[in-house]
Amino acid sequence: MDKKSSEMVELKPGRRPTLEQVQYLKVRRASQYEGKTAHFALCVFNLMNAILGSGILGLANAMTNLGYILFTVLLVLVALLAFNSIRLLLDMCDLTGITSYEAIGRQAFGEGGKIVTVLSILTHTLGAMCSFLFIVKYELPEVLRTLTGAEECSSAWYLNGDYIVILVTLVIIMPLSAAKNIGFLGYTSGFAMACMIFFTVVIVIEKFIIPCPIYGMNSTVHHEEYHLIQIPEHIDNYTNTVAMATVSTNNNPTIEPAGVHNESTECVHKSALTQELEEALEQQQCEPEPFVISLKSAYAVPTMVFAFQCHASVLPIYLELTNPTKTRMQLVSIVSITNIFLLYFIASLFGYLTFFTAVGPELLLMYSYYDPDNIVILLARIMVLICVIFSTPLLHFPSRRSIENLFFSKYEFSWIRHLGIMVVLLSLTDILVIYVPTIREVFGFIGATSASMLVIILPSLFYIKLGLDPTCSFKKISCICLVVFGILFTIMSLTLIIFGWLQ
């Protein structure tokens, strides 16, 4: 490279690139990049799969804690925020010729900006991968138990969630994560989206089948005697939720939660429920509430932000789009976010209208409680499992890339390093899933911190620093407002969540 070319390609951190540098980098990127293998539809599937995951299971609970009108308004706003942040990232990519979220952070604020961006991406992607594998850990063994007809107390290895998580990681997730490029995952992503559409259709249908209230003192089924039965410990840890099963002394029909059998004396533990859960299950209300404000609402908005977080995956997907222009990638984003919004809203609304105030923090398990042997519900559980398993490699790509950009940005590609980082990240994810007891705090804490940084704060800060618009322009003023809002939102959400922990 001659002296002039070296000066053109070298961008000084913390400073806007010159117009000559931008043009040079765009031409250089277009001529050197060889991975444009994903057509428009595959990129849409990949971005949808990067967005959609365990978030769809927690949004019905968010509607319960906000009310259906407030939830709808906030979900629309969060979807718009997510698209606006993608647009800002694409603007930065187009402006600087840089195609990495971490490198944009370095260009805007030097090494400190790069480190903050990398930490935000790692925190989010690890948290999201953990939330996906939590579902595998606690759902897949129960699905296998139903399919094989195994006894509740069976100690078969395939009913152990820890073993299942490790096996799924080795057999499915690692091979998909080992590839150099992300584009080919569009085929698995398309299949995963079909699975989630099926799951959403099941939720709509079950709304007209499942009665409300399901059981408890307000149930239309009256019993002469009630006993409180706690869900087995492995399920209780999953959702921080316990359910009450009614045991009748006459011939009236009863409804039992998934995995609970009265004839078992070893696997079912009778105990008093906590006051909060006892009220939710015994005093289930079956009327929709338009507005709800409570301490639990602190988890709702972070859960929404978490559910729309895909920004770490946007630029890798953009790089592999055939004819990668900003306009085409913005269209990919619009189509993806719109489709995911519709899936989220339909699943949340009909899940809420099915269970109302009794909706737990994980929607799928609610249907399992009601009728674990129902073949349609069983298929829906399998569909969700397929989706979250196929979503994990998509989140692994940006986490591995962030580590490579932080520590190995000056080195040539190496398969040994590539696979070594993959093994370390997926092993760490499995360890966290095995030893962290609950999933509920993952949504709230990650949504309030790293997801807020990646969706709201960092893209706006980058544009304020690097954008060519004058400081008083509408675009930069709106970015300043978003940064202030993001900081206040993070502080408020964390304060309420921590206060809730202390109660």
Side-chain angles (χ1 to χ4, degrees):
M1 181 182 294
D2 56 28
K3 181 178 180 181
K4 181 178 179 181
S5 297
S6 178
E7 291 176 352
M8 291 288 284
V9 76
E10 182 179 358
L11 297 178
K12 295 182 179 180
R15 297 182 59 181
R16 292 190 183 96
T18 65
L19 292 176
E20 291 79 7
Q21 286 176 319
V22 171
Q23 293 301 321
Y24 178 84
L25 287 170
K26 285 182 180 179
V27 173
R28 186 170 181 266
R29 181 186 68 185
S31 63
Q32 290 186 349
Y33 188 71
E34 299 178 353
K36 303 185 185 79
T37 57
H39 56 73
F40 185 89
L42 290 182
C43 287
V44 168
F45 290 146
N46 270 338
L47 188 56
M48 287 177 64
N49 203 21
I51 302 171
L52 186 64
S54 56
I56 196 173
L57 303 178
L59 287 176
N61 182 256
M63 183 177 286
T64 302
N65 295 326
L66 290 173
Y68 61 90
I69 292 181
L70 184 57
F71 172 88
T72 303
V73 172
L74 291 177
L75 192 68
V76 170
L77 292 177
V78 171
L80 292 175
L81 274 177
F83 173 72
N84 180 69
S85 299
I86 292 175
R87 184 175 59 86
L88 291 176
L89 282 177
L90 294 176
D91 285 344
M92 293 298 93
C93 188
D94 194 56
L95 174 64
T96 64
I98 297 172
T99 56
S100 162
Y101 203 145
E102 304 88 344
I104 293 175
R106 179 178 182 272
Q107 182 60 37
F109 298 103
E111 289 300 321
K114 180 178 180 179
I115 292 172
V116 170
T117 305
V118 167
L119 291 177
S120 298
I121 291 174
L122 278 176
T123 303
H124 167 73
T125 51
L126 283 175
M129 287 191 292
C130 284
S131 73
F132 294 164
L133 293 184
F134 263 117
I135 295 172
V136 174
K137 176 180 178 179
Y138 292 109
E139 279 292 333
L140 187 52
E142 295 305 310
V143 168
L144 293 175
R145 186 190 306 278
T146 302
L147 291 175
T148 59
E151 295 293 331
E152 180 65 32
C153 296
S154 173
S155 59
W157 68 268
Y158 59 85
L159 301 180
N160 186 306
D162 295 341
Y163 294 158
I164 289 295
V165 165
I166 295 172
L167 183 64
V168 168
T169 300
L170 290 174
V171 175
I172 302 177
I173 296 174
M174 276 194 175
L176 292 176
S177 301
K180 183 178 179 180
N181 295 326
I182 199 173
F184 86 101
L185 290 178
Y187 299 101
T188 57
S189 296
F191 181 62
M193 289 305 98
C195 291
M196 293 310 292
I197 291 173
F198 177 85
F199 171 69
T200 304
V201 171
V202 169
I203 291 177
V204 174
I205 294 173
E206 289 296 324
K207 184 264 178 284
F208 302 99
I209 297 175
I210 298 177
C212 184
I214 296 176
Y215 47 73
M217 300 302 292
N218 289 340
S219 176
T220 56
V221 179
H222 299 286
H223 305 288
E224 297 177 7
E225 181 180 353
Y226 293 86
H227 298 282
L228 301 183
I229 299 180
Q230 183 175 336
I231 296 302
E233 183 179 358
H234 67 284
I235 297 180
D236 183 42
N237 284 342
Y238 179 26
T239 60
N240 264 349
T241 305
V242 290
M244 184 181 75
T246 57
V247 183
S248 177
T249 58
N250 53 32
N251 294 325
N252 289 336
T254 60
I255 299 172
E256 296 180 349
V260 177
H261 304 286
N262 293 331
E263 63 270 15
S264 171
T265 59
E266 298 178 2
C267 301
V268 180
H269 305 283
K270 296 182 181 180
S271 66
L273 296 171
T274 63
Q275 183 65 30
E276 176 186 357
L277 293 174
E278 185 175 301
E279 291 177 359
L281 293 168
E282 290 187 357
Q283 302 178 11
Q284 181 183 12
Q285 302 297 317
C286 297
E287 291 294 330
E289 294 287 341
F291 297 96
V292 176
I293 300 294
S294 68
L295 188 60
K296 290 183 180 180
S297 302
Y299 286 95
V301 179
T303 299
M304 292 182 190
V305 176
F306 180 87
F308 277 100
Q309 213 304 108
C310 60
H311 299 66
S313 303
V314 167
L315 295 185
I317 293 172
Y318 176 37
L319 284 177
E320 300 198 9
L321 174 66
T322 52
N323 186 22
T325 64
K326 182 175 71 172
T327 301
R328 277 173 59 80
M329 190 60 199
Q330 284 182 339
L331 186 57
V332 168
S333 304
I334 292 173
V335 173
S336 301
I337 291 177
T338 301
N339 290 337
I340 294 300
F341 174 86
L342 292 174
L343 285 176
Y344 278 164
F345 181 74
I346 293 172
S348 303
L349 178 63
F350 282 88
Y352 171 66
L353 294 178
T354 302
F355 300 104
F356 295 94
T357 58
V359 175
E362 200 273 87
L363 181 61
L364 183 60
L365 212 57
M366 302 299 296
Y367 296 94
S368 305
Y369 285 167
Y370 176 73
D371 191 357
D373 297 323
N374 185 305
I375 187 63
V376 176
I377 293 177
L378 180 63
L379 285 174
R381 297 168 78 181
I382 294 173
M383 296 299 102
V384 172
L385 285 167
I386 291 173
C387 181
V388 298
I389 289 172
F390 284 161
S391 294
T392 304
L394 276 171
L395 286 166
H396 170 265
F397 269 84
S399 63
R400 178 174 55 198
R401 179 171 174 170
S402 65
I403 291 178
E404 291 176 340
N405 283 332
L406 183 61
F407 297 107
F408 308 105
S409 59
K410 296 182 180 179
Y411 296 89
E412 295 293 328
F413 175 81
S414 166
W415 275 108
I416 295 177
R417 184 176 67 247
H418 180 84
L419 297 177
I421 295 173
M422 176 195 72
V423 171
V424 170
L425 285 174
L426 293 179
S427 298
L428 177 60
T429 303
D430 282 358
I431 290 171
L432 291 173
V433 170
I434 290 171
Y435 289 102
V436 174
T438 65
I439 191 176
R440 180 179 180 180
E441 281 72 20
V442 171
F443 290 131
F445 187 79
I446 299 299
T449 53
S450 62
S452 177
M453 288 287 289
L454 294 172
V455 175
I456 303 174
I457 299 174
L458 289 180
S460 300
L461 279 176
F462 295 162
Y463 194 85
I464 292 170
K465 180 68 175 180
L466 299 176
L468 300 179
D469 313 48
T471 305
C472 59
S473 67
F474 173 79
K475 197 169 184 178
K476 283 203 171 180
I477 291 176
S478 64
C479 286
I480 293 171
C481 293
L482 285 176
V483 170
V484 174
F485 166 75
I487 294 173
L488 293 176
F489 165 75
T490 300
I491 294 173
M492 181 187 70
S493 297
L494 286 177
T495 301
L496 292 174
I497 289 171
I498 294 172
F499 180 75
W501 291 347
L502 298 176
Q503 293 300 302

